[in-house]
Amino acid sequence: MSAADSASTAPRSQVWAHVGQPFTPDSFDIVVVGAGRMGAACALYLRQLAPHLSLLLVEEGGLPNEEGATILAPGVWTAFDVPEGQEAAAEWTREQLLSGIEKLEVESRPLVELLRDGADTVPSSEALAHAPEALALLDPQVYPCAHVDDRALTYRPGQLALQAAQQAIRLGANLLLNTRAEPGVGQVKLHRLTVTNTHQIVVHETRQVRARAVVVAAGAAGPVLVEHGVGLHTRHGRAYVQYPRLNLPTSAQTPVLRAGGLTLRPQNDGLTLIPPIHHRDPQGYQPAGGQLTGVLTGLRREVLEDLVALMDGLPALSSDRLELGRSSADIAGAWVSLPGGQPDTIPTAEQPAPGLFLLLGGPRADTLGLATAHALATEVVATLD
Ligand code: ADP
């Protein structure tokens, strides 16, 4: 070992942010495609579990990517989203949010689920006694009862992706940004992207690296990448989720509210609305706005229907504080993967071909995603060691 090698015990890592930085490596033990929260977390756990295996994390955009589902995801951990048998995974994820991801800001904020009736509930006026601004949103005659999750947490998934990736880099991960990956078995093609002076995104150069294991964590694009890469059909789906805003004052004490499947998440001095997902969107679906009393809106028809159905119990939704937009471009939205093609399924990890892994977060990733990312990292290391 040379003096230079022994001088530093910290693993060396490299970050390539733009095409001006030459990319020369031709192989890694592991390549992770996609630095959303699932890919970034998986990369971090891989570094923790197997520091001797070299790793490249590839992301089509920046970190965090402004386009992915991660940046818009609600970031609400709640026991109400835990299906039977997943309790340990949810608790593990909660623990990681609180102390496993360095510098992640997590707030303890109860989640109050409003109900029209039900056993084992508390009066909604009591559940919201300390949050008059939340109580003012609803008609207590329509929602007289509530369930409260006192252990709920809120955080920003975009910050989670960023912090997990940075922690992975400190542990020796390599990061290649602005690069579209085409994963295959045993290798990954890397198209390094650049922007022309007419603002077009073009491929600057294409490289190929060998990889003993490839983890596809590309969100809603993941199943398609796997299908193209190995010619396999998967059963997964995707849905376009819109996150309209309700501009009413909130505070650090305002709880997360839920009613009829709609989540109202206090954020940036207002409420972000997270509508329920009813089904996968068909192949080729293009997000398009609907109409409300003849006026064009940026909200999809099914989101409008859900909101209209809730207006009796949540009269604030029918006020001009709800941002409807004029076209779908006005409403923040993202494609979310639906593991198994169902709206209510949990994050999944699988190995569609030897050495090729698919990691999907989806709508329940806030509560269960980190446990799935860790389980996959463990499985990948087991196949390589
Ligand atoms: P998740 O919640 O599962 O992490 P996201 O959609 O937030 O899902 O993250 C997926 C990330 O993968 C996005 O940041 C997206 O830019 C990136 N991505 C998608 N396709 C590719 C690709 N072919 N190559 C590299 N990165 C990709």
Side-chain angles (χ1 to χ4, degrees), residues 212-260:
R212 295 169 64 206
V214 179
V215 174
V216 178
V224 181
L225 284 178
V226 166
E227 284 168 21
H228 287 181
V230 290
L232 277 175
H233 191 74
T234 75
R235 69 212 150 86
H236 307 294
R238 60 178 199 159
Y240 188 74
V241 184
Q242 291 186 309
Y243 303 92
R245 296 268 305 165
L246 186 59
N247 293 316
L248 288 170
T250 57
S251 75
Q253 277 70 48
T254 312
V256 179
L257 297 173
R258 201 173 266 186

Side-chain angles (χ1 to χ4, degrees), residues 33-39 58-61 65 68-70 179-181 217-221 225 335 360-362:
V33 175
R37 52 158 144 196
M38 297 300 286
V58 185
E59 167 55 49
E60 184 166 358
N65 184 0
T70 289
T179 300
R180 184 180 304 137
L225 284 178
W335 285 100
L360 295 172

Side-chain angles (χ1 to χ4, degrees), residues 112-138:
V112 176
E113 176 148 35
L114 301 166
L115 299 164
R116 292 179 190 251
D117 50 50
D120 300 330
T121 58
V122 292
S124 51
S125 53
E126 197 179 297
L128 297 173
H130 302 293
E133 69 291 351
L135 197 53
L137 289 170
L138 62 116

Side-chain angles (χ1 to χ4, degrees), residues 10-28:
R12 260 181 278 153
S13 56
Q14 261 186 289
V15 177
W16 295 269
H18 57 83
V19 295
Q21 296 163 286
F23 179 88
T24 52
D26 59 9
S27 75
F28 292 90

Side-chain angles (χ1 to χ4, degrees), residues 25-250:
D26 59 9
S27 75
F28 292 90
D29 291 312
I30 308 165
V31 173
V32 177
V33 175
R37 52 158 144 196
M38 297 300 286
C42 188
L44 169 60
Y45 296 136
L46 283 163
R47 292 308 303 158
Q48 290 176 340
L49 292 166
H52 56 289
L53 298 174
S54 62
L55 183 145
L56 177 68
L57 176 60
V58 185
E59 167 55 49
E60 184 166 358
L63 184 67
N65 184 0
E66 304 291 321
E67 305 282 318
T70 289
I71 200 131
L72 291 177
V76 177
W77 184 100
T78 169
F80 291 164
D81 284 346
V82 183
E84 225 179 295
Q86 296 297 315
E87 294 82 0
E91 285 307 319
W92 195 89
T93 298
R94 191 174 187 277
E95 211 37 58
Q96 283 291 304
L97 292 170
L98 288 170
S99 57
I101 308 291
E102 288 170 10
K103 299 187 197 155
L104 178 66
E105 292 156 31
V106 179
E107 288 174 341
S108 169
R109 210 189 265 270
L111 186 144
V112 176
E113 176 148 35
L114 301 166
L115 299 164
R116 292 179 190 251
D117 50 50
D120 300 330
T121 58
V122 292
S124 51
S125 53
E126 197 179 297
L128 297 173
H130 302 293
E133 69 291 351
L135 197 53
L137 289 170
L138 62 116
D139 179 344
Q141 306 226 305
V142 179
Y143 289 119
C145 333
H147 269 152
V148 181
D149 177 3
D150 276 321
R151 296 179 68 240
L153 304 173
T154 55
Y155 60 100
R156 286 187 290 128
Q159 194 194 39
L160 167 59
L162 176 66
Q163 297 303 348
Q166 288 186 346
Q167 203 175 330
I169 291 165
R170 287 195 290 277
L171 294 175
N174 301 282
L175 175 67
L176 178 58
L177 293 172
N178 297 308
T179 300
R180 184 180 304 137
E182 251 181 76
V185 174
Q187 50 84 28
V188 182
K189 245 189 210 166
L190 301 167
H191 304 288
R192 301 188 75 196
L193 307 173
T194 191
V195 183
T196 65
N197 42 21
T198 54
H199 303 290
Q200 274 177 305
I201 295 177
V202 294
V203 175
H204 172 81
E205 64 178 8
T206 297
R207 293 270 180 269
Q208 183 144 326
V209 290
R210 289 189 307 279
R212 295 169 64 206
V214 179
V215 174
V216 178
V224 181
L225 284 178
V226 166
E227 284 168 21
H228 287 181
V230 290
L232 277 175
H233 191 74
T234 75
R235 69 212 150 86
H236 307 294
R238 60 178 199 159
Y240 188 74
V241 184
Q242 291 186 309
Y243 303 92
R245 296 268 305 165
L246 186 59
N247 293 316
L248 288 170
T250 57

Side-chain angles (χ1 to χ4, degrees), residues 30 46 49-50 53 212 357 375-385:
I30 308 165
L46 283 163
L49 292 166
L53 298 174
R212 295 169 64 206
F357 301 85
L376 180 63
T378 309
E379 188 187 335
V380 170
V381 172
T383 64
L384 294 184
D385 275 349

